[in-house]
Amino acid sequence: AVDVATFGETMAALRADGPIRLGGTMRLSIAGAESNVAIGLARLGHRVRWVGLVGGDETGELVLRTLRAEGVDIGHARVDERGPTGLILFERRLGDVVRVSYHRAGSAASFLSADDVRPALEPPPRLLHVTGITPALGPGPASAVRAAAQSGVRVCLDVNYRGRLWDRDRAAAALRPLVPSLSVVVASDDELALVAPPSATTERDRVAALLDAGVAEVVIKRGAAGASGHTLHSHVDVPARRVRVVDVVGAGDAFVAGYLSGLLDHLDLTGRLDRAVSTGAFAVASPGDWEGLPTRADLELLDAQPGSTLR
Ligand code: ATP
C-alpha cells in the first residue's frame, strides 16, 4: 500500500518573466496542486500515488514523465482522449506579483470520475489528500472527491479556493458537506469560512466548529506570518522560516507536503508544523511550483548560515 494517495488536475505550465502580450521566451514545466504535494512527499521519502487524466498529447506525456521521474506512482493515471492536457500560464508582474491564466475548461482532467479514483484506494493508503480545486473542475471530479472522502480512509482537504474557477458560495456548497469525512483541514485564514458553518463568524468559532464536527486537526496557513495548528487539546502557532522570496507560487502545496510528512512520521503538532513551514520556505525560496522542494537531507540547509558554502 502507498502512504498517501491523491488525485486532481495537473497541467502544462508556461512561465514568462514579463507581460505575456509582449511575447518572448517562456519556460515549460508542469503544475497541479495535488501533484505538487505528491512530489513534495516523494522527495521526503514517502510512497505516494497520484491519479488523474491527461490528454493524448505531448504535454500529457510531460506530466506523466515528470511525476514518474519524481518517484510518484502513476499506475492509476491515464490518457483520456476526450480533451487536451490543461495549460496554465504564469506571468511575473511587479517583481514578485504573479498573474495566472488558465486554459483548462474541457481538459482531459475535467472528465475524471469516481470510477477512475476508486481502484487507486485499494489497498487503502494511510492518507488521502484532496483539494478544493478538484470539485470546481466539473461534475465528474466533484463526484470523485465525494466518493473518495467517503471511502473510510483518513482524508486531508486543502481548501485551496480558486476565484478563477468558481465563486465562494458555490465553493462553500461543495466543500461544507465533505467536513464530516475529513480528518485534516488546511486553509488560509480567509478560506476557513468556506468549510465552517455560516453561523461561525470568527476564526476561533470556525476552528471550534470544525473540531466539533469531527475534524481532528485544523491547520491555518498565514503566508509570511507562518501557520497555526489546532486539535481538540492543543493549539500551536509557528512563525515562517526566513528566506529570500523568489516565487511564492506553490508555497501552500509545499506546506501541505511537509505537514503530511510529519503526520506520517508521527511527529507531534509542533513537529508537523515545523516541517510544513520548512517545506513551504523551500518553495518560496526557489523558482517554480515544485522544483525546489527539499529531500530529507535538504531540510537541514535551512539551519545553515546565510551565505555559507557547505563543503
Ligand atoms: P499558494 O496558493 O501560492 O500555494 P497559499 O496561500 O496556499 O499559497 P501561504 O499561506 O502563502 O499559502 O504559504 C504557505 C506556507 O508557506 C506559509 O504558512 C509559510 O510557512 C510558507 N511561506 C509563505 N510565504 C512565505 C514567505 N514569504 N517566507 C517564508 N515562508 C513563507
Side-chain angles (χ1 to χ4, degrees):
V2 292
D3 296 316
V4 180
T6 188
F7 61 92
E9 175 164 29
T10 296
M11 297 165 284
L14 281 171
R15 282 194 166 71
D17 281 329
I20 289 174
R21 59 178 65 190
L22 297 187
T25 307
M26 297 176 91
R27 286 181 309 282
L28 175 62
S29 179
I30 68 164
E34 302 82 7
S35 59
N36 292 343
V37 173
I39 290 170
L41 283 163
R43 291 222 180 147
L44 291 169
H46 303 286
R47 287 165 304 173
V48 52
R49 168 177 291 162
W50 176 86
V51 185
L53 308 183
V54 297
D57 43 34
E58 286 301 304
T59 48
E61 289 303 319
L62 172 68
V63 168
L64 296 179
R65 184 181 201 271
T66 304
L67 293 177
R68 195 182 296 122
E70 290 292 333
V72 174
D73 174 352
I74 52 162
H76 293 264
R78 64 176 175 84
V79 169
D80 189 295
E81 302 283 356
R82 283 174 286 180
T85 301
L87 176 65
I88 181 168
L89 305 177
F90 295 95
E91 53 186 336
R92 189 181 285 278
R93 306 289 287 134
L94 295 172
D96 57 5
V97 176
V98 176
R99 184 158 61 193
V100 166
S101 40
Y102 293 129
H103 299 264
R104 71 195 298 181
S107 66
S110 67
F111 292 97
L112 187 80
S113 72
D115 289 341
D116 292 312
V117 171
R118 224 173 266 122
L121 302 179
E122 286 301 329
R126 289 172 65 194
L127 285 171
L128 170 67
H129 175 62
V130 297
T131 77
I133 299 170
T134 307
L137 302 179
S143 71
V145 170
R146 285 193 300 271
Q150 282 157 15
S151 64
V153 298
R154 193 143 66 120
V155 183
C156 170
L157 169 76
D158 183 348
V159 176
N160 249 332
Y161 174 66
R162 294 286 185 266
R164 290 271 165 93
L165 296 180
W166 53 359
D167 61 33
R168 291 180 70 91
D169 289 342
R170 288 181 55 217
L175 299 178
R176 279 197 193 114
L178 300 175
V179 166
S181 334
L182 302 178
S183 175
V184 182
V185 169
V186 183
S188 308
D189 43 11
D190 58 344
E191 292 173 338
L192 267 186
L194 300 175
V195 277
S199 55
T201 53
T202 63
E203 179 174 306
R204 197 191 155 99
D205 290 349
R206 288 177 180 135
V207 169
L210 290 169
L211 294 173
D212 246 19
V215 175
E217 27 209 312
V218 179
V219 183
I220 304 169
K221 298 174 288 187
R222 305 185 197 280
S228 315
H230 300 263
T231 66
L232 268 186
H233 305 294
S234 51
H235 164 201
V236 177
D237 295 312
V238 295
R241 301 293 306 237
R242 291 188 51 171
V243 287
R244 191 162 78 194
V245 177
V246 173
D247 175 1
V248 294
V249 180
D253 304 328
F255 176 95
V256 169
Y259 192 85
L260 296 181
S261 168
L263 202 59
L264 292 165
D265 286 355
H266 307 288
L267 302 186
D268 64 10
L269 183 58
T270 305
R272 302 198 282 276
L273 289 169
D274 280 341
R275 189 168 293 173
V277 296
S278 299
T279 48
F282 272 90
V284 299
S286 28
D289 282 19
W290 52 268
E291 284 84 342
L293 296 183
T295 62
R296 234 165 237 263
D298 288 340
L299 288 173
E300 292 172 16
L301 295 173
L302 280 174
D303 299 321
Q305 274 307 330
S308 61
T309 304
L310 305 175
R311 305 182 197 270

